[in-house]
Amino acid sequence: MPSSMSQASLPVFEIGLNALSGVLDKAEVFARAKKIDPSVLLAWRLAPDMFALARQVQIATDQAKNGSARLAGVEPPRYEDDETTIEQLKARLTRTVDFLKTLDPKQIDASAGREITFPLGPNNKGQMKGDDYLNHFVLPNFYFHLTAAYAILRQCGVELGKRDFLGAIPLTMT
Amino acid sequence: MPSSMSQASLPVFEIGLNALSGVLDKAEVFARAKKIDPSVLLAWRLAPDMFALARQVQIATDQAKNGSARLAGVEPPRYEDDETTIEQLKARLTRTVDFLKTLDPKQIDASAGREITFPLGPNNKGQMKGDDYLNHFVLPNFYFHLTAAYAILRQCGVELGKRDFLGAIPLTMT
């Protein structure tokens, strides 16, 4: 079985977003046990000029939905970016995984050589070949925000391990 | 042009490791300007139970060299893990990029359906199909440690932006 663009994107995002949902579950349990308002965690940052946890989760979903949609040649859905609770962020993760399931893997597989144009900041546009866009833009950005969200919660004291980050990957352990 | 396992691994690691080398350059300049001993930065952690910066850099190179070597069906080189300076860590990054260039992309391309067995912690072994190993284990782990290294330095005050993290990606901006 050869590798494919759809295999390198759809299940990767689905597993990563579901893993992040599990990480947020642990954050919620932690907040309750420590009597911390969960909004304190959602506003935590690794540095003053880095995004807070809630925004990291939003951008992780944006990379997944926008990247996959552009590769599939369909318009990505727009979200309101108005989540203020863990429950709402988890709903956004679920909504994104549900959207990924509507995409046609064959269209993504056919996108490797196609030029993709995408917004880059408020005023610019980026252009990359489909496989470059996935390998060198969408995946690194997706994992950046996934890791930042995880690291924020580790810093806050939530008990998380690498398996929480990796999620339900197809791994046989012996 | 179809997507390929080698395109989804070798240039991804090369760009990411070179980007990390540039990030370490900025850390060195920052330490000199602020009169901070660089070893303070190398020992910084996002949380007490997370790895320090030096170890994050080591593991990022391990994921790149071990992952690529196993996909190519060759024995990964063993490093001593004895780096204590930014210069030594940069040499490790260069050495790893040089090693990646010795691998045969065709062997990696042929590995998608092959079962890969790899050490998992001190006592266990993991087994995954080649493309799953790349998509769901090597890449997420690689980016986890790359992001952690970057985030540690952002937290310490080094002026870094997303372009420093992404590195020299094949992007046309308009």
Side-chain angles (χ1 to χ4, degrees), chain A residues 1-5 7-8 11-12 15 46-47 49-50 112-113 118 120 124-129 131-132 135-137 139-141 143-145 147-148 150-151 154-155 162 165-166 169-174, chain B residues 1-5 7-8 11-12 15 46-47 49-50 112-113 118 120 124-129 131-132 135-137 139-141 143-145 147-148 150-151 154-155 162 165-166 169-174:
Chain A
M1 186 196 289
S3 74
S4 74
M5 292 277 292
Q7 280 298 109
V12 166
I15 290 172
L46 293 175
D49 59 347
M50 289 182 79
F118 53 99
L120 206 62
N124 292 106
K125 289 193 171 192
Q127 190 174 326
M128 301 178 82
K129 214 157 58 64
D131 56 354
D132 285 340
N135 293 329
H136 300 299
F137 191 88
L139 286 174
N141 273 300
Y143 281 124
F144 180 94
H145 296 286
T147 304
Y150 172 96
R154 278 289 288 268
Q155 183 157 90
K162 184 63 82 66
F165 172 76
L166 291 176
I169 62 174
L171 167 72
T172 306
M173 215 167 125
T174 56
Chain B
M1 185 197 289
S3 74
S4 74
M5 292 278 291
Q7 280 298 107
V12 166
I15 290 172
L46 293 175
D49 59 347
M50 288 182 79
F118 54 98
L120 205 62
N124 293 105
K125 290 194 170 189
Q127 190 175 325
M128 299 177 84
K129 212 157 58 65
D131 56 353
D132 285 340
N135 293 329
H136 300 300
F137 191 88
L139 287 173
N141 273 299
Y143 281 124
F144 181 94
H145 296 286
T147 305
Y150 172 96
R154 279 287 289 266
Q155 183 157 92
K162 187 60 84 61
F165 172 77
L166 291 176
I169 61 174
L171 168 72
T172 307
M173 214 168 126
T174 55

